[in-house]
């Protein structure tokens, strides 16, 4: 099964999660995939989850690892050792999420949770401008489109960077 946890600026929802203990292939293994614009709080959430778990949760971030290949290696290692993980990446477009979900397809017992950070694009732009964390194409597109949100826009994937 999969779940959706929606994080908004002024409110949040919660769902149940595992204890974070390593288990066998028959034990459910939680995987959280963050979804949201640059500057929406994905990294803050992901790092807190990993640090507050006492090292039981693995934080995988392309911003920190540098390449998709390094992310795939880190994901494979966590899955091999049956460690719950939080995947910290924008994953704004459905086709991008689909690509990353393939990493978890053949791992038995994985329970996927998508956490959508519902933060207004203008606020995200403010965060990315003042923290200098992200100079990615999504941020540039937001600036060019005056804050339009690709998470909610009814446009073809070809119109947004991926």
């Amino acid at each position: 099964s999969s779940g959706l946890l929606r994080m908004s600026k002024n409110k949040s929802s919660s769902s149940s999660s595992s204890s974070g203990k390593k288990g066998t292939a028959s034990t459910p293994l939680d995987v959280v995939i963050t979804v949201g614009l640059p500057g929406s709080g994905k990294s803050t959430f992901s790092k807190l989850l990993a640090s507050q778990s006492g090292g039981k949760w693995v934080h995988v971030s392309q911003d920190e690892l540098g390449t998709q290949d390094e992310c795939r290696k880190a994901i494979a290692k966590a899955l091999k050792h049956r460690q719950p993980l939080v995947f910290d990446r924008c994953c704004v477009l459905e086709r991008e999420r689909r690509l990353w979900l393939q990493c978890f397809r053949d791992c038995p017992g994985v329970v996927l949770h998508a956490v959508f950070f519902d933060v207004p694009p203008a606020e995200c732009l403010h965060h990315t401008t003042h923290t200098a964390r992200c100079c990615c194409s999504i941020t540039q597109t937001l600036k060019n489109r005056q804050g339009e949100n690709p998470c909610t826009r009814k446009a073809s994937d070809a119109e947004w960077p991926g």
Side-chain angles (χ1 to χ4, degrees):
S1 76
S2 64
L4 176 66
L5 177 63
R6 186 177 191 96
M7 302 295 290
S8 297
K9 180 180 176 193
N10 295 319
K11 59 184 177 180
S12 66
S13 303
S14 62
S15 66
S16 62
S17 64
S18 75
S19 64
K21 296 179 182 176
K22 292 182 186 179
T24 64
S26 63
T27 304
L29 177 61
D30 286 316
V31 173
V32 172
I33 299 174
T34 61
V35 179
L37 298 173
S40 62
K42 299 176 307 299
S43 294
T44 300
F45 168 83
S46 300
K47 289 175 185 177
L48 278 171
L49 178 60
S51 69
Q52 296 295 317
S53 74
K56 294 174 185 166
W57 280 77
V58 175
H59 174 227
V60 177
S61 168
Q62 187 170 334
D63 287 345
E64 293 180 12
L65 296 175
T67 66
Q68 290 183 8
D69 189 50
E70 290 301 315
C71 285
R72 285 186 184 90
K73 288 177 187 176
I75 289 168
K77 181 179 177 182
L79 294 177
K80 178 181 178 185
H81 295 289
R82 303 292 299 167
Q83 292 178 282
L85 72 95
V86 57
F87 183 52
D88 175 10
R89 198 163 191 279
C90 291
C91 294
V92 171
L93 303 175
E94 182 181 347
R95 64 183 159 92
E96 182 183 26
R97 290 189 298 274
R98 214 176 307 124
L99 173 76
W100 286 103
L101 290 174
Q102 292 173 5
C103 294
F104 309 106
R105 182 176 292 153
D106 297 326
C107 186
V110 167
V111 179
L112 293 170
H113 306 274
V115 180
F116 175 65
F117 291 80
D118 188 16
V119 178
E123 186 174 331
C124 294
L125 279 173
H126 175 78
H127 292 159
T128 59
T129 301
H130 290 88
T131 62
R133 287 186 309 192
C134 182
C135 297
C136 73
S137 59
I138 293 173
T139 301
Q140 188 58 48
T141 301
L142 285 171
K143 289 177 184 175
N144 294 343
R145 292 182 180 239
Q146 301 172 338
E148 234 177 312
N149 189 339
C151 296
T152 57
R153 187 170 188 274
K154 301 284 186 201
S156 71
D157 282 353
E159 293 184 44
W160 290 94

